[in-house]
Each structure stands twice: as structure tokens, then as C-alpha cells.
Amino acid sequence: MFLLVTFHVFAVQSSFQLDKLEHQRSDAQRENELLRNLVASRSSATAIFEAATAYGLVRTTNPIPLNLAATGTGAPRPSPTPVKMPTVPYKVIAAGPNGP
């Protein structure tokens, strides 16, 4: 009988711990979504244009194209095929009371 009660106590403690981890995960997902929205809004073309205007930068009327891959410049030629980046699996980092 004592073993059965002990087992149930451990099961309930594990359930509380899983619930706490689930709340931490949902909070981290919510914060990640807010940060993604913040990055998207700050890196939008409109935000960049407004920041450049605030710094006093003006749009040029006749831009001069540069051919950096021309012979004699020492610059590497662009790849004829697109470069594929390796896939990296996401890692889950558990955050403690003082951060990750």
C-alpha cells in the first residue's frame, strides 16, 4: 500500500513539473513570436526608408552600377548555381530562473 501511495505522489509531482514546463514553453513561444514581429517591422522597407530619411540620406537619381567581378579587381565571381545552406536542427534550451 505504501508503494502505491509513493508512486501516486511521484506521478503527481511529475505532472506538476510537466505543467510548469508547458507554461514556460508557451511563454517562450509567445515571446519569440513578438520578437519576430518586432524584427519584421523594424527591418521593413518602409522603416529603413524612414530611418534613412531621418539621418538625412537622400535617394540618388543616377546610381552608378559597380562590376566587382570584373577582371583585375580580385573579387570572386558569383557562383553559377545558388549555394545551399546546411540544415541545422533547432535546439530547445530550457530557461532557468536566471535565463538560459
Side-chain angles (χ1 to χ4, degrees), residues 17-32:
Q17 187 176 11
L18 283 175
D19 189 44
K20 180 181 174 184
L21 289 173
E22 179 65 27
H23 284 296
Q24 287 178 350
R25 184 185 66 83
S26 65
D27 290 344
Q29 281 182 332
R30 192 175 314 110
E31 183 180 2
N32 187 29

Side-chain angles (χ1 to χ4, degrees), residues 70-85:
T71 56
T73 61
R77 294 199 175 276
S79 174
T81 58
V83 177
K84 285 193 168 190
M85 296 300 292

Side-chain angles (χ1 to χ4, degrees), residues 45-71:
T46 305
I48 292 171
F49 182 79
E50 289 173 356
T53 305
Y55 281 118
L57 300 176
V58 293
R59 189 177 222 164
T60 183
T61 54
N62 295 322
I64 301 170
L66 300 176
N67 186 2
L68 294 179
T71 56

Side-chain angles (χ1 to χ4, degrees), residues 3-20:
L3 288 174
L4 184 62
V5 171
T6 305
F7 174 75
H8 281 291
V9 168
F10 283 127
V12 169
Q13 286 177 344
S14 297
S15 174
F16 282 134
Q17 187 176 11
L18 283 175
D19 189 44
K20 180 181 174 184

